């Protein structure tokens, strides 16, 4: 579906060569065999932060970013987070070979003439996080691989609800963890997001 007729964006983000960071692209790939309903555009942005920033300005009412994000939960735990959107101030461009969702949102706010769409983050707790010394760490860990199908199922619940009502807070499911999540590397307001499972 082309962007002008899509009302909701599902964007996979992450580096396919860095272990569990490939969670977002893997979810997008799994959606090929289980397509979302009309009205949703599904796209893998990988590490192309500038492309995602411009895509967010294309008239969507809602955007769901699918990414790996350390929050202090068990590996494979899914979380639904609604980060605070940044003000339209000067923003540093995203890195050429990296994807920092907070920087992408800041850049989109800076570039746009109007408000950004509502942004939700469907995050998965990674087990394997490269330390920076490795060039390539292929493959998802077992718990994150198992979370891919659960994320696809969650998107099939969330997307129709958000297409019907962009202000809805769709359920993710029962909490898997009761401990308070940590805000490690998340945008302001992201910690303590709506739900974890």
């Amino acid at each position: 579906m082309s962007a002008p007729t899509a009302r909701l964006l599902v964007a996979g983000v992450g580096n396919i060569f860095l272990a569990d960071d490939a969670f977002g692209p893997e979810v997008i790939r799994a959606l090929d065999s289980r397509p979302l309903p009309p009205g949703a555009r599904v796209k893998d942005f990988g590490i192309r932060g500038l492309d995602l920033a411009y895509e967010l300005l294309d008239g969507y009412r809602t955007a769901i970013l699918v990414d790996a994000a350390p929050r202090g939960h068990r590996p494979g735990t899914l979380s639904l987070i609604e980060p605070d959107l940044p003000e339209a101030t000067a923003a540093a461009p995203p890195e050429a070979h990296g994807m920092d969702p907070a920087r992408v949102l800041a850049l989109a706010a800076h570039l746009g003439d109007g408000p950004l769409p509502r942004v939700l983050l469907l995050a998965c707790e990674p087990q394997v996080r490269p330390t920076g010394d490795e060039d390539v760490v292929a493959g998802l860990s077992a718990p994150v691989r198992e979370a891919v199908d659960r994320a696809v199922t969650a998107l099939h619940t969330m997307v129709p609800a958000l297409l019907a009502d962009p202000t809805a807070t769709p359920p993710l499911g029962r909490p898997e963890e009761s401990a308070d999540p940590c805000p490690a590397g998340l945008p302001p307001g992201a910690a303590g997001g709506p739900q974890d499972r």
Side-chain angles (χ1 to χ4, degrees), residues 21-32:
D21 197 48
F23 173 75
E26 287 294 326
V27 170
I28 299 305
R29 190 165 71 168
L31 284 168
D32 285 344

Side-chain angles (χ1 to χ4, degrees), residues 1-20:
M1 175 172 293
S2 64
T5 58
R7 294 173 293 153
L8 183 145
L9 174 67
V10 177
V13 298
N15 190 327
I16 62 170
F17 299 112
L18 293 179
D20 289 343

Side-chain angles (χ1 to χ4, degrees), residues 63-163:
I64 302 172
L65 308 184
V66 183
D67 195 10
R71 304 188 72 224
H73 290 306
R74 237 182 16 246
T77 298
L78 296 177
S79 301
L80 182 62
I81 305 158
E82 185 165 6
D84 292 332
L85 294 179
E87 298 293 325
T89 59
E95 299 172 22
H97 300 289
M99 172 69 84
D100 178 347
R103 290 180 75 173
V104 169
L105 292 175
L107 179 62
H110 175 69
L111 294 173
D113 291 333
L116 292 178
R118 179 183 186 202
V119 176
L120 298 171
L121 174 63
L122 179 58
C124 180
E125 183 73 33
Q127 180 174 54
V128 178
R129 294 187 306 188
T131 62
D133 297 336
E134 308 92 342
D135 288 333
V136 174
V137 181
L140 297 176
S141 65
V144 173
R145 166 74 46 209
E146 291 170 9
V148 169
D149 284 339
R150 289 186 288 116
V152 169
T153 299
L155 287 166
H156 274 275
T157 299
M158 291 190 294
V159 167
L162 289 167
L163 286 171

